[in-house]
């Protein structure tokens, strides 16, 4: 078993760190809001630290799942940052969804500190984190990934290295691009069924068994029909991710017209007061239009 640090105890990070502790690893946690770290220790055991650097001291692996580019920089760099506390040869695994640019920046900073950096964004939502069924898409050096993979597999359904540093984040962008279009299509289908006077549940029972079926349909159609949108990944976070996708599209020359449109639809949802609704709330926008 390894000595680990876990930085960031949100709805994803807390259960992920919990799986590591339950698996027998020695886990020290850090969270910006200290009370969350205290609650985690009461629930799972392990230890907590006052700073990322303190948490990372002597750790074999440091995992992070924070909010955005700036949050990630803050836990990695500076006097209290994790890189300053890590020993040569240790591995930093970032599960945050951030830009490929900050990933490559921190990969270089980690290399200068004689530690490895793996970008390993996750998909599967809060339920996936709680059930240990996340999809993890990774970028970074093959040797570091091979060492980190058994640790990540504690909470993974699938964990794969896609390529060099940044490849994990670029793959996560593909994931978010695909989800955006799927949720909009599902929202329109259910809205159309409502307007046509059809039984939405009966419609989904039939079409989900054919080519229209998807994870989104299977897991979100009932709550969408019931106008319930409190199931994890929030609209605010989706817009952050889609912004990263659209910026990267400008850099790579990719064309993302549907993604850009759905991003604006999520902006409309924010204006409806849905910043913290989950991403399936796109149907609320259609209902509000009449």
């Amino acid at each position: 078993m390894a000595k680990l640090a876990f930085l960031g105890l949100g709805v994803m990070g807390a259960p992920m760190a919990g799986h590591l502790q339950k698996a027998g690893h020695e886990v020290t946690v850090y969270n910006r809001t200290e009370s969350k770290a205290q609650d985690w220790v009461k629930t799972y055991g392990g230890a907590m630290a006052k700073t990322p650097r303190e948490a990372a001291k002597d750790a074999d692996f440091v995992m992070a799942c924070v909010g955005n580019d700036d949050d990630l920089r803050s836990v990695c760099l500076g006097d209290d940052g994790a890189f300053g506390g890590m020993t040569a040869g240790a591995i930093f695994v970032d599960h945050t969804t951030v830009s490929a640019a900050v990933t490559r920046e921190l990969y270089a900073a980690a290399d200068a500190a004689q530690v490895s950096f793996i970008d390993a964004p996750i998909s599967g939502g809060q339920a996936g984190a709680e059930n240990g069924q996340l999809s993890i898409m990774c970028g970074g050096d093959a040797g570091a990934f091979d060492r980190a993979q058994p640790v990540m597999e504690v909470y993974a359904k699938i964990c794969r290295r896609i390529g060099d540093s940044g490849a994990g984040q670029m793959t996560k962008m593909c994931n978010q691009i695909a989800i955006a279009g799927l949720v909009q299509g599902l929202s329109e289908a259910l809205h159309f069924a409502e307007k046509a006077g059809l039984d939405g549940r009966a419609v989904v029972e039939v079409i989900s068994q054919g080519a229209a079926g998807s994870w989104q349909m299977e897991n979100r159609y009932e709550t969408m029909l019931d106008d319930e949108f409190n199931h994890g990944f929030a609209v605010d976070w989706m817009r952050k991710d889609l912004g990263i996708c659209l910026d990267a599209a400008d850099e790579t020359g990719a064309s993302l017209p549907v993604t850009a449109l759905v991003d604006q639809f999520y902006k409309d949802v924010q204006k409806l007061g849905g910043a913290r609704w989950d991403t399936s709330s796109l149907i609320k926008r259609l209902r509000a239009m009449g």
Side-chain angles (χ1 to χ4, degrees):
M1 294 295 105
K3 180 176 173 59
L4 308 176
F6 205 104
L7 315 178
L9 299 173
V11 295
M12 305 291 285
M16 292 165 69
H19 287 302
L20 294 170
Q21 182 69 19
K22 289 177 181 177
H25 295 295
E26 181 185 344
V27 183
T28 299
V29 297
Y30 163 79
N31 194 75
R32 185 166 50 190
T33 303
E34 191 172 304
S35 60
K36 288 188 177 181
Q38 293 170 341
D39 291 343
W40 186 92
V41 171
K42 289 177 183 176
T43 301
Y44 296 104
M48 59 173 285
K50 299 282 188 181
T51 67
R53 180 174 185 147
E54 181 185 336
K57 187 176 186 299
D58 298 325
D60 302 304
F61 300 92
V62 179
M63 333 299 276
C65 190
V66 292
N68 55 37
D69 286 22
D70 290 340
D71 293 333
L72 183 60
R73 284 191 184 96
S74 73
V75 298
C76 290
L77 306 175
D79 292 341
D80 290 331
F83 288 177
M86 295 172 71
T87 55
I91 298 174
F92 191 102
V93 177
D94 174 38
H95 290 305
T96 316
T97 297
V98 292
S99 68
V102 77
T103 291
R104 296 182 182 116
E105 170 193 329
L106 293 174
Y107 173 90
D111 186 60
Q114 297 184 300
V115 299
S116 297
F117 187 96
I118 301 293
D119 52 299
I122 51 180
S123 181
Q126 184 175 347
E130 292 172 349
N131 297 326
Q133 293 290 297
L134 294 168
S135 296
I136 309 178
M137 48 219 86
C138 301
D141 298 340
F145 170 78
D146 289 343
R147 289 172 55 199
Q149 184 178 10
V151 179
M152 290 187 279
E153 285 183 339
V154 169
Y155 41 73
K157 179 179 182 180
I158 184 170
C159 179
R160 292 289 183 271
R161 176 180 177 268
I162 308 301
D164 293 335
S165 181
Q169 293 297 344
M170 299 297 275
T171 304
K172 179 60 184 287
M173 293 177 208
C174 296
N175 185 81
Q176 302 305 75
I177 291 164
I179 288 173
L182 284 170
V183 176
Q184 178 62 20
L186 176 58
S187 297
E188 291 184 17
L190 295 179
H191 178 64
F192 179 84
E194 290 175 348
K195 287 294 188 180
L198 303 175
D199 180 339
R201 284 170 169 79
V203 168
V204 171
E205 182 182 9
V206 176
I207 70 173
S208 65
Q209 302 307 306
S214 68
W215 186 98
Q216 295 293 335
M217 183 176 288
E218 180 180 351
N219 289 275
R220 290 290 178 263
Y221 84 92
E222 290 192 289
T223 51
M224 291 169 75
L225 290 171
D226 292 338
D227 210 42
E228 297 176 3
F229 306 104
N230 56 352
H231 296 278
F233 197 68
V235 168
D236 275 353
W237 291 113
M238 187 60 158
R239 287 214 70 209
K240 183 264 290 185
D241 289 1
L242 294 182
I244 291 171
C245 296
L246 294 169
D247 286 344
D250 286 341
E251 295 170 5
T252 60
S255 179
L256 303 179
V258 173
T259 303
L261 187 60
V262 176
D263 177 57
Q264 292 305 300
F265 292 165
Y266 276 123
K267 184 176 181 179
D268 293 341
V269 174
Q270 289 173 320
K271 291 177 181 177
L272 291 172
R276 304 305 298 174
W277 296 339
D278 72 62
T279 51
S280 67
S281 58
L282 280 173
I283 195 171
K284 290 280 281 186
R285 173 185 171 275
L286 298 171
R287 287 173 177 150
M289 295 171 66

